[in-house]
């Protein structure tokens, strides 16, 4: 990731979006970095980013030494994101002013998973259930919270990133209260009965962070802002009952495509190497599902790429993975939504229709054979129980059980009549899989162990 990929720009547009919530006057020796290079450095050097190396991507820790973690996934998303940006620079020279910073896209891609809790989706659903009366929990909302409040680069404004970087990580730019639909489901009697399909997290930001959300969006016109945060009922996903936002910023659209490509292609690679999927399943569930596509390159590649993907020659498989990633990256263009005035909302990166259909089929293939694999679901279920039991313990007596710094934050929020339960969710969501497991064992295991050092996970 090179530092010389940002082009200088001093336009009024850039200056508005390079502002930080907390003004800075850092006079560091010979520091000529752009604002987005500084954002990237803050993310890379943060404790929250380092913890991604011990958080589950798809396959559980200990199943194999090959699997990807959230950290390696984020690095791959960043690499694909800059590849998309480079392609768009060449295709759309007239929009180069929107694509003048590789560091911006790197920052957004590196940070996009930073708020995901331990144990993947199981941990997310567990925290959402435990926070059901306190504003809910969702990984993308927690990402925004870490960047803007929790990571101790500043005293109380997180990493103090630029407005444009924060806009880019807003995958769902409305708040919980704007999107939540009450299904009137009764609370479960026993944690072990919790079904993720019945308690899906609201895909949005937390009401606790509304003042910072408002600051990020304050450079938009009233009409743009209202349209940007508007929502609708999802008709494509019957398992998701809440409202869903309709729009993303230009930078976020690049990050999301990079994330989808990395998820579909690289997690597919993991599954092939570990023997979870075979070529017969590939032929039936991928190749045969794409019989309607018209793109000549895709038709040719998808007909023969299976032999390379499932080859015992590792270099052939890597070549096939690279071919797939390149195919998707080079099939991305820019669409225009003339309803918006702000260029960062007016333009969005889009995948050509045949490639979008192919990517969807690949994602469904990974979901069916990897995510829904019983062994993986058992790991998620176990993590789900660990997270709920930790939350229940801390919520039962926070002043007794929370570590010192977290306890102080909890007391401040309680004394100011805010939302102290959010502090408990912050603490647990920041844990790595291993730390959460060890802490659970210390609290609920039958053996008496020494006291764990909690200071690193506050």
């Amino acid at each position: 990731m090179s530092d010389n990929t940002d082009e200088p720009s001093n336009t009024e547009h850039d200056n508005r979006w390079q502002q930080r919530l907390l003004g800075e006057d850092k006079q560091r020796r010979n520091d000529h970095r752009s604002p987005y290079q500084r954002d990237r450095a803050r993310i890379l050097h943060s404790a929250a980013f380092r913890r991604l190396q011990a958080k589950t991507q798809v396959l559980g820790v200990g199943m194999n030494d090959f699997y990807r973690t959230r950290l390696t996934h984020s690095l791959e998303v960043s690499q694909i994101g800059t590849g998309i940006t480079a392609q768009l620079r060449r295709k759309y020279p007239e929009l180069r002013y929107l694509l003048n910073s590789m560091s911006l896209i790197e920052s957004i891609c590196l940070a996009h998973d930073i708020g995901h809790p331990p144990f993947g989706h199981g941990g997310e659903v567990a925290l959402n259930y435990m926070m059901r009366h306190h504003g809910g929990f969702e990984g993308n909302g927690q990402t925004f919270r870490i960047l803007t409040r929790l990571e101790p680069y500043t005293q109380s404004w997180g990493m103090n990133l630029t407005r444009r970087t924060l806009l880019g990580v807003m995958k769902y730019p409305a708040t919980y209260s704007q999107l939540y639909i009450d299904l009137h489901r009764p609370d479960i009697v026993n944690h072990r009965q919790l079904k993720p399909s019945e308690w899906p997290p609201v895909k949005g930001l937390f009401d606790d962070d509304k003042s910072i959300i408002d600051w990020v969006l304050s450079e938009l016109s009233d009409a743009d802002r209202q349209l940007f945060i508007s929502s609708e009922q999802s008709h494509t996903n019957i398992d998701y009952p809440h409202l869903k936002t309709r729009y993303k910023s230009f930078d976020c659209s690049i990050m999301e495509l990079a994330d989808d490509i990395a998820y579909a292609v690289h997690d597919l690679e993991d599954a092939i190497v570990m023997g979870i999927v075979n070529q017969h399943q590939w032929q039936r569930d991928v190749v045969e599902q794409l019989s309607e596509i018209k793109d000549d390159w895709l038709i040719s590649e998808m007909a023969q790429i299976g032999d390379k993907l499932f080859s015992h020659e590792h270099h052939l498989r890597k070549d096939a993975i690279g071919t797939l990633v390149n195919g998707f990256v080079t099939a991305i263009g820019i669409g225009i939504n003339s309803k918006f005035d702000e260029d960062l909302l007016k333009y969005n990166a889009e995948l050509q229709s045949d490639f979008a259909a192919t990517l969807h089929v690949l994602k469904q293939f990974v979901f069916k054979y990897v995510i829904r694999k019983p062994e993986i679901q058992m790991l998620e279920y176990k993590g789900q129980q660990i997270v709920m039991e930790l939350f229940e313990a801390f919520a039962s007596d926070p002043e007794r059980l929370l570590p010192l710094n977290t306890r102080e934050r909890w007391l401040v929020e309680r004394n100011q009549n805010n939302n102290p339960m959010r502090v408990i969710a912050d603490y647990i969501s920041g844990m790595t899989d291993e730390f959460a497991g060890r802490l659970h064992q210390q609290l609920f295991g039958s053996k008496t162990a020494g006291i764990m050092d909690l200071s690193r996970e506050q």
Side-chain angles (χ1 to χ4, degrees), residues 168-186:
V169 298
M170 286 182 168
K171 289 182 70 172
Y172 313 103
T175 58
Y176 177 92
S177 60
Q178 294 170 302
L179 303 170
Y180 173 72
I181 292 180
D182 189 354
L183 302 176
H184 302 292
R185 285 187 172 137

Side-chain angles (χ1 to χ4, degrees), residues 278-285 310:
N278 59 49
Q279 194 165 357
H280 171 71
Q281 293 165 331
W282 166 268
Q283 184 68 29
R284 183 187 62 205
D285 289 78
F310 292 90

Side-chain angles (χ1 to χ4, degrees), residues 113-332:
D113 262 358
I114 216 167
H116 280 255
F119 307 113
H121 184 61
E124 184 180 44
V125 170
L127 277 176
N128 180 56
Y129 178 77
M130 301 307 287
M131 289 290 289
R132 64 196 180 280
H133 302 309
H134 309 284
F137 180 89
E138 196 264 341
N140 296 289
Q142 190 68 17
T143 290
F144 185 83
R145 186 167 172 80
I146 289 171
L147 299 177
T148 59
R149 285 193 187 277
L150 301 181
E151 184 66 29
Y153 183 86
T154 63
Q155 185 171 0
S156 53
W157 302 115
M159 298 187 202
N160 196 34
L161 303 179
T162 59
R163 181 184 270 115
R164 184 168 170 182
T165 298
L166 293 176
L167 182 73
V169 298
M170 286 182 168
K171 289 182 70 172
Y172 313 103
T175 58
Y176 177 92
S177 60
Q178 294 170 302
L179 303 170
Y180 173 72
I181 292 180
D182 189 354
L183 302 176
H184 302 292
R185 285 187 172 137
D187 294 350
I188 57 175
V189 177
N190 186 304
H191 289 166
R192 297 186 179 182
Q193 298 173 343
L194 181 70
K195 295 180 180 179
S197 61
E198 295 179 355
W199 295 92
V202 173
K203 294 182 183 297
L205 303 168
F206 303 141
D207 288 82
D208 298 307
D209 303 319
K210 190 172 186 307
S211 62
I212 303 179
I213 299 165
D214 289 342
W215 175 81
V216 174
L217 302 182
S218 63
E219 285 299 322
L220 302 175
S221 68
D222 289 342
D224 273 4
R225 183 164 57 250
Q226 291 306 314
L227 183 60
F228 186 51
I229 67 173
S230 64
S231 58
E232 61 187 359
Q233 192 82 45
S234 174
H235 299 295
T236 57
N237 187 349
I238 59 174
D239 294 326
Y240 186 75
H242 306 294
L243 298 177
K244 202 167 184 180
T245 55
R246 303 156 64 197
Y247 303 107
K248 293 174 172 54
S249 71
F250 177 59
D251 303 319
C252 185
S253 70
I254 295 175
M255 175 269 284
E256 190 160 54
L257 282 172
D259 189 21
D260 284 349
I261 293 168
Y263 164 79
V265 179
H266 291 143
D267 289 347
L268 168 67
E269 181 184 13
D270 283 6
I272 291 171
V273 171
M274 297 173 69
I276 294 174
V277 295
N278 59 49
Q279 194 165 357
H280 171 71
Q281 293 165 331
W282 166 268
Q283 184 68 29
R284 183 187 62 205
D285 289 78
V286 176
V287 178
E288 292 178 10
Q289 297 300 314
L290 295 172
S291 59
E292 300 297 318
I293 60 174
K294 301 291 191 295
D295 185 90
D296 291 339
W297 183 89
L298 265 179
I299 293 171
S300 173
E301 284 297 328
M302 298 310 290
Q304 60 184 349
I305 204 169
D307 290 337
K308 286 186 177 181
L309 283 173
F310 292 90
S311 171
H312 294 296
E313 299 285 340
H314 295 332
H315 70 279
L316 293 178
R317 185 185 66 250
K318 295 302 294 186
D319 179 64
I321 292 296
T323 297
L324 282 174
V325 172
N326 175 261
F328 288 121
V329 168
T330 55
I332 293 172

Side-chain angles (χ1 to χ4, degrees), residues 84-148:
I84 294 170
T85 304
Q87 289 285 332
L88 295 178
R89 276 185 180 183
R90 284 190 282 272
K91 289 181 179 178
Y92 301 90
E94 73 278 11
L95 296 179
R96 201 174 179 92
Y97 68 97
L98 290 179
L99 297 156
N100 65 342
S101 175
M102 289 292 188
S103 299
L104 168 69
I105 298 300
E106 285 180 356
S107 298
I108 294 167
C109 291
L110 290 170
H112 84 282
D113 262 358
I114 216 167
H116 280 255
F119 307 113
H121 184 61
E124 184 180 44
V125 170
L127 277 176
N128 180 56
Y129 178 77
M130 301 307 287
M131 289 290 289
R132 64 196 180 280
H133 302 309
H134 309 284
F137 180 89
E138 196 264 341
N140 296 289
Q142 190 68 17
T143 290
F144 185 83
R145 186 167 172 80
I146 289 171
L147 299 177
T148 59

